Amino acid sequence: MIKRNLPYALLVGLLLLAGIAQILHRHWVYDVPLLPGDAQTIWSVEAKVEFDANGEPVKVRLATPDSQPGFMVLRDSGASPGYGLSFVPDDHPGAEWTKRSAEGKQSLFYRVDVLESDAHDLMDESAPPIITSSWPEPYASAVTQVVQQAYSTSADHFSLTRELLKAFNSDPRDQHVQLLVSQYRQRLPQLIVDMLNMAGVPSRVVYGLRLQDGRRQQTLLPYIRVWQGDNSQVFDVPLQERNPTLFDPTAPLLLWEQRGEPVIEVMGGENSQVRFSMIKREESAFGNVANRLSDEHDLLNFSIHSLPIEEQAMFKTILLIPIGALIVCLLRVLIGLKTSGTFMPVLIALAFIQTSLVTGLVGFLIIVATGLVIRGYLSHLNLLLVSRISATIITVIAIIGVFSVASYKFGLTEGLKITFFPMIILSWTIERMSILWEEEGWREVMTQGGGSLLTAVIAFWAMSNPLVRHLTFNFIGVQLVIMAVVLMLGTYTGYRLLELKRFVKLGKH
Amino acid sequence: MPSLSESLAGIGEMFGAYRSMSRQGVLGMNARNRLYIGRYNQRRLFPLVDNKLKTKQLAQQYEIAVPELIGVIDSQHQVSMLSKHLLGLESFVIKPAKGSGGKGILVIQGHDGDGWIKASGDRVTLQDVQRHVSNILAGLYSLGGAQDVAIIEHCIRFDDSLANYSFEGVPDIRVIVCRGFPVMAMTRLATRESDGKANLHQGAVGVGLSLKTGRAINGVMHGKLVQAHPDTLERLSELVIPQWDELLNLAAGCYEMTGLGYIGTDVVIDRDKGPMLLELNARPGLAIQMANGKGLLPGLRKIDALTDAELRRPAAQRVALSQQWFAD
Ligand SMILES: Nc1ncnc2c1ncn2[C@@H]1O[C@H](COP(=O)(O)OP(=O)(O)O)[C@@H](O)[C@H]1O
Ligand SMILES: [Mg+2]
């Protein structure tokens, strides 16, 4: 007995020790704070430039962001094997990659770390000069009409801009605006800037990125920046197509290109595109310095942070899964909660993180309830298992489609988030619940369904807790500690909490 | 919201319950899974008991009595030939090989013109039986809907002394056998509420049995003590299982047969042929402790500590030892 348990005890001890040591090391040596609060927020943004080279000398120029009110640029770097890279710090900051000859698909990376900061001395762009433009008729008179209308109902540059944008956003649109939209739809940002210039308002089209933790495959969006003296404000461009479930107007806006230059120029290639990934980190101010000094290949500083941002963003979620698994372990081994499908609640909790809790719960109940009704009909057909599950999967997708469309029609963009649910898992859940219903009755369905939901909610709570997210992402050691705890739970042979209730009479003899 | 002192009292009570349960030796789910199933039951042996057909064939090799096999239907085209199997049979049972919890078991107790009579008294036609077999083959009753085969076997005619203790169903006797030693036993009596099935959580009565005599100790229904069968009103304290020692010998012999060190054996008693093995369970439930009003652990710990010499004894000697150790 003891012989068999010795390696086990050693393993658990070692895992615990290594985990805690790694956490402390990162805390003391690299100054990563243990709590999320006492830190500054750093955003790492990675731009991935892709294009097809055609065998000639290649020169790629990517505009790069400057320090600006709200953000301080800490460091930037580029990576692309075989390319020469220089940062051109003249009045148009940018990264320039060059190569004598390249062929086929190329990927270039640029990464910048910016610190969220409200310091006042951050350099800001001053107002650009006014440029007068002219339009052919009938557009010229339409422009004059619309600008005059906005001018007469406003007091200063900013309210003028708001009035102008309101004219474009209103529904139904005024006929002059409609005329302009139909002609200039593709160049709307520039049209509005020109119209503002016409009214003597200095403004410019800028390109920016809303920073949302863990987002990948993002593109820059145009915004309109308007000056009044030394003050300036940034406005959304009207009539933009964007995914309402992902759009968060409160997320901080990083202006990437603010001088009216192109974001990307490629010579010697075609089909170029830039995609952005971003991730949020909390670090102490001193940690920034330390990180910059430490070289990236330090084994002891082993961390997810040496990966490209896109992968980091993925790991941020992946590293939370062990927390969910731990919760399931605790609830099943110590409490004795019954769930349908052991780790199904973790996947549901992951979906909740994306949908927000209430939307997620409502969506889950709607899908499963509707699914159960339809599955009830399928069971009359007496189908083979595989086709039955396939039919359920298709049904679930149909339900999700119908609810997305319906909720969008009613203007409930929340409803669109229903697509975040793992459909195959849901189908299996419906299948299992339906069999359970037939075999054991609705009571058992309620206990297992309720147990699963309760587990999912608790796992959601843990996985969305800022402290937990901070710890799992910044300290790999946490994973080792979780591993040790799970191994220990695996040897727990005491009673479960719910068994105390079930067997309490037996203790009373 | 409960006040702080109430919560503390609640927690105190919980610890009290925990302590008294562990003093009584109540076996919990975690301990069962890790210490008994995990330690004594090898994974590769599970298929022997998860398939009733395999169990039956194995039992015949080891000369353990089982209800006689009439036939096996393992493909859809054999369903039409069902009538050949059933020709001239007065009573029979059809069940899925991989079923559990009494699902999909059709008990026929009499012939009636061109149809049959079920245990409940309902009539069934050949078409009904064929549809039932088709459902079994499609996996309607087996775990996770896996494809299955249908077993046709002789119906047990149970001993008259037990007739008054069960409502529309054969009472079966569950014995927990650890490393070949019977540790605890109970019988499950079907009730009107349990719909002729002997599943405790569906409302059957569980009656703990003395290992020494086969006499009832204590009856429970839905976790509460009961004195009499709710439908037949027969007093449970009078219940004695006949041919008790033979029954225990049969249960103990299942250890050699399967090599599984922690099993629940389901045995029934046939009026003419005596105790017969119905099925084996490699993950037997914990409710038997409620029926006996005591925990399994004291007995199991005793078995844990046995020497190799004691473990090598033949079944009859093991049963005698068990009866001596666990008499109460
Ligand atoms: N051959 C049989 N003769 C009479 N009754 C039977 C027979 N086989 C099963 N039964 C009845 O069905 C119940 C369940 O049978 P069992 O083989 O243990 O299947 P399960 O795995 O579903 O519990 C038994 O308790 C008994 O009442
Ligand atoms: Mg059984």
Side-chain angles (χ1 to χ4, degrees):
Chain A
M1 200 76 186
I2 294 213
K3 251 195 203 136
R4 221 179 44 186
N5 278 338
L6 192 63
Y8 162 78
L10 268 175
L11 177 65
V12 170
L14 219 68
L15 281 172
L16 272 181
L17 215 71
I20 292 171
Q22 199 273 348
I23 293 172
L24 292 180
H25 179 259
R26 255 182 89 70
H27 178 54
W28 283 331
V29 179
Y30 292 98
D31 235 339
V32 184
L34 288 171
L35 298 176
D38 59 349
Q40 292 169 295
T41 306
I42 294 174
W43 291 88
S44 294
V45 184
E46 187 178 77
K48 182 177 184 187
V49 180
E50 284 178 316
F51 62 95
D52 299 321
N54 47 26
E56 290 161 24
V58 176
K59 185 165 159 189
V60 179
R61 185 176 192 287
L62 174 72
T64 58
D66 248 349
S67 288
Q68 52 192 272
F71 296 104
M72 187 164 83
V73 172
L74 294 176
R75 52 187 168 255
D76 61 355
S77 58
S80 2
Y83 277 82
L85 170 63
S86 59
F87 292 99
V88 266
D90 54 11
D91 44 338
H92 310 316
E96 211 168 84
W97 287 270
T98 44
K99 192 173 184 182
R100 182 58 64 187
S101 104
E103 183 96 58
K105 200 162 184 67
Q106 309 285 311
S107 311
L108 309 173
F109 294 91
Y110 168 79
R111 170 178 168 172
V112 61
D113 287 357
V114 295
L115 176 70
E116 262 187 30
S117 121
D118 352 309
H120 290 295
D121 55 347
L122 289 172
M123 235 263 293
D124 204 1
E125 282 291 297
S126 50
I130 303 272
I131 299 164
T132 37
S133 357
S134 59
W135 293 268
E137 283 301 341
Y139 309 110
S141 38
V143 165
T144 323
Q145 278 288 332
V146 178
V147 171
Q148 264 171 8
Q149 172 65 28
Y151 190 84
S152 64
T153 53
S154 62
D156 58 3
H157 291 179
F158 298 141
S159 56
L160 172 61
T161 314
R162 267 191 294 276
E163 287 300 310
L164 199 56
L165 295 177
K166 210 192 285 170
F168 279 92
N169 280 324
S170 67
D171 192 25
R173 275 193 284 271
D174 164 273
Q175 57 171 21
H176 300 296
V177 178
Q178 186 57 44
L179 180 70
L180 293 174
V181 168
S182 59
Q183 175 68 11
Y184 293 100
R185 173 112 219 185
Q186 301 307 321
R187 282 171 288 153
L188 211 52
Q190 192 56 50
L191 172 72
I192 292 171
V193 164
D194 291 342
M195 290 169 82
L196 285 167
N197 277 336
M198 184 181 164
V201 176
S203 61
R204 175 180 270 168
V205 181
V206 295
Y207 286 86
L209 205 54
R210 292 262 176 220
L211 299 183
Q212 284 172 272
D213 193 12
R215 283 266 185 274
R216 298 184 283 146
Q217 299 279 334
Q218 303 295 296
T219 51
L220 292 182
L221 287 180
Y223 293 87
I224 292 167
R225 186 163 182 196
V226 176
W227 280 263
Q228 165 128 26
D230 280 343
N231 293 330
S232 73
Q233 276 185 28
V234 176
F235 294 87
D236 273 340
V237 174
L239 312 179
Q240 290 255 52
E241 306 259 345
R242 46 167 102 84
N243 184 343
T245 60
L246 300 178
F247 176 67
D248 176 8
T250 60
L253 176 65
L254 173 70
L255 295 181
W256 193 272
E257 201 297 311
Q258 28 177 342
R259 292 189 178 77
E261 299 286 321
V263 172
I264 175 124
E265 288 170 290
V266 177
M267 275 167 55
E270 52 203 10
N271 299 332
S272 60
Q273 62 159 357
V274 204
R275 300 278 168 189
F276 295 84
S277 319
M278 61 207 85
I279 197 163
K280 184 177 172 177
R281 260 184 306 148
E282 315 280 341
E283 271 181 27
S284 72
F286 178 67
N288 293 328
V289 184
N291 264 0
R292 224 175 321 171
L293 294 179
S294 81
D295 77 313
E296 304 245 328
H297 305 292
D298 185 349
L299 250 188
L300 274 177
N301 193 24
F302 175 85
S303 78
I304 300 299
H305 305 287
S306 47
L307 288 175
I309 302 295
E310 190 163 1
E311 277 68 26
Q312 282 192 36
M314 250 165 50
F315 262 105
K316 218 168 182 173
T317 315
I318 293 176
L319 289 177
L320 286 171
I321 294 177
I323 296 282
L326 174 69
I327 302 264
V328 169
C329 256
L330 285 171
L331 290 181
R332 287 177 73 106
V333 173
L334 295 187
I335 311 285
L337 220 54
K338 277 194 200 167
T339 61
S340 104
T342 315
F343 289 107
M344 178 276 259
V346 180
L347 296 173
I348 300 297
L350 281 176
F352 284 172
I353 289 182
Q354 298 192 288
T355 58
S356 84
L357 186 60
V358 176
T359 316
L361 275 175
V362 173
F364 178 85
L365 290 177
I366 287 177
I367 297 176
V368 173
T370 324
L372 274 178
V373 172
I374 295 175
R375 168 64 178 71
Y377 168 70
L378 286 181
S379 86
H380 284 299
L381 301 183
N382 209 351
L383 302 175
L384 293 177
L385 176 76
V386 189
S387 21
R388 200 168 57 212
I389 303 257
S390 307
T392 315
I393 292 176
I394 297 169
T395 311
V396 166
I397 291 173
I399 299 171
I400 289 180
V402 167
F403 277 102
S404 302
V405 174
S407 58
Y408 189 65
K409 280 257 148 67
F410 289 115
L412 301 168
T413 49
E414 277 295 295
L416 290 181
K417 293 180 174 170
I418 208 165
T419 50
F420 285 118
F421 278 108
M423 297 171 204
I424 306 230
I425 302 291
L426 277 185
S427 308
W428 271 105
T429 306
I430 291 169
E431 170 71 16
R432 235 183 262 120
M433 296 251 179
S434 148
I435 289 185
L436 209 62
W437 194 303
E438 281 166 25
E439 292 180 352
E440 316 277 340
W442 60 273
R443 233 175 247 269
E444 194 61 23
V445 173
M446 290 297 146
T447 23
Q448 293 203 11
S452 306
L453 266 192
L454 185 63
T455 312
V457 170
I458 295 176
F460 161 80
W461 171 81
M463 286 156 67
S464 57
N465 180 289
L467 175 64
V468 173
R469 294 180 80 100
H470 169 82
L471 289 177
T472 49
F473 185 57
N474 288 295
F475 302 95
I476 280 293
V478 171
Q479 308 291 330
L480 302 183
V481 175
I482 294 177
M483 181 81 174
V485 174
V486 167
L487 287 182
M488 284 195 283
L489 279 175
T491 61
Y492 172 77
T493 53
Y495 301 120
R496 301 172 177 176
L497 192 66
L498 293 179
E499 279 175 349
L500 293 185
K501 204 173 141 242
R502 180 178 172 200
F503 291 125
V504 69
K505 286 204 203 83
L506 282 182
K508 292 220 175 94
H509 282 279
Chain B
M1 274 307 251
S3 73
L4 181 67
S5 61
E6 274 168 357
S7 317
L8 282 181
I11 292 175
E13 220 167 88
M14 252 166 47
F15 275 107
Y18 194 109
R19 289 245 306 283
S20 61
M21 271 167 61
S22 86
R23 210 176 318 115
Q24 288 292 323
V26 176
L27 181 68
M29 204 59 107
N30 291 327
R32 183 202 75 170
N33 290 347
R34 187 171 138 74
L35 297 182
Y36 293 95
I37 297 181
R39 205 150 41 122
Y40 292 141
N41 289 355
Q42 289 177 38
R43 272 272 128 199
R44 64 182 174 85
L45 298 175
F46 275 51
L48 296 182
V49 297
D50 286 344
N51 184 329
K52 292 193 174 84
L53 187 60
K54 283 191 187 165
T55 313
K56 196 188 271 295
Q57 289 160 346
L58 195 65
Q60 282 164 343
Q61 281 174 31
Y62 281 79
E63 294 183 336
I64 286 179
V66 286
E68 193 183 325
L69 186 66
I70 297 171
V72 178
I73 309 273
D74 56 10
S75 65
Q76 206 66 44
H77 75 267
Q78 289 185 339
V79 174
S80 50
M81 307 200 287
L82 197 60
S83 53
K84 240 192 271 164
H85 284 292
L86 304 182
L87 201 67
L89 286 180
E90 265 306 306
S91 63
F92 56 91
V93 173
I94 298 186
K95 57 168 121 175
K98 296 181 196 156
S100 64
K103 285 184 292 261
I105 297 188
L106 178 67
V107 182
I108 299 291
Q109 290 186 325
H111 205 77
D112 171 29
D114 48 347
W116 290 277
I117 314 276
K118 286 208 285 186
S120 57
D122 297 341
R123 274 202 70 207
V124 288
T125 61
L126 181 64
Q127 275 85 351
D128 292 332
V129 179
Q130 284 177 336
R131 181 148 11 90
H132 186 78
V133 172
S134 286
N135 283 342
I136 291 179
L137 295 182
L140 193 62
Y141 306 109
S142 42
L143 214 65
Q147 301 204 352
D148 206 350
V149 303
I151 302 175
I152 311 173
E153 66 184 20
H154 274 294
C155 185
I156 304 267
R157 276 157 311 154
F158 55 92
D159 198 279
D160 289 332
S161 67
L162 295 178
N164 286 333
Y165 287 103
S166 193
F167 182 82
E168 293 177 1
V170 181
D172 68 357
I173 295 135
R174 160 68 57 94
V175 184
I176 300 283
V177 179
C178 185
R179 306 171 95 186
F181 288 80
V183 179
M184 206 175 258
M186 73 166 165
T187 177
R188 290 176 294 191
L189 311 174
T191 61
R192 191 190 297 274
E193 190 188 331
S194 74
D195 192 22
K197 291 180 186 155
N199 270 336
L200 290 190
H201 73 268
Q202 287 174 337
V205 178
V207 182
L209 299 171
S210 154
L211 270 192
K212 182 138 199 144
T213 57
R215 194 172 273 284
I217 297 174
N218 184 357
V220 288
M221 185 176 167
H222 285 311
K224 291 199 184 66
L225 284 182
V226 286
Q227 301 302 328
H229 190 282
D231 304 312
T232 66
L233 303 180
E234 203 73 17
R235 289 191 59 77
L236 297 177
S237 54
E238 307 294 308
L239 188 152
V240 189
I241 304 291
Q243 299 176 290
W244 183 240
D245 288 358
E246 274 150 73
L247 186 150
L248 286 184
N249 284 342
L250 178 117
C254 292
Y255 173 55
E256 277 90 355
M257 163 181 146
T258 58
L260 289 164
Y262 187 75
I263 43 175
T265 61
D266 285 359
V267 184
V268 283
I269 298 176
D270 187 84
R271 192 187 322 167
D272 307 316
K273 298 176 185 151
M276 292 190 147
L277 178 67
L278 258 196
E279 65 154 346
L280 294 173
N281 200 322
R283 310 168 196 81
L286 301 173
I288 194 171
Q289 301 178 106
M290 304 293 288
N292 278 273
K294 64 180 183 204
L296 271 164
L297 271 178
L300 292 176
R301 291 218 182 91
K302 177 123 196 153
I303 307 291
D304 282 336
L306 291 183
T307 61
D308 279 353
E310 281 165 312
L311 289 171
R312 270 197 301 272
R313 285 171 198 270
Q317 286 187 28
R318 296 199 302 262
V319 169
L321 279 176
S322 273
Q323 287 182 318
Q324 179 190 327
W325 292 333
F326 308 133
D328 50 354

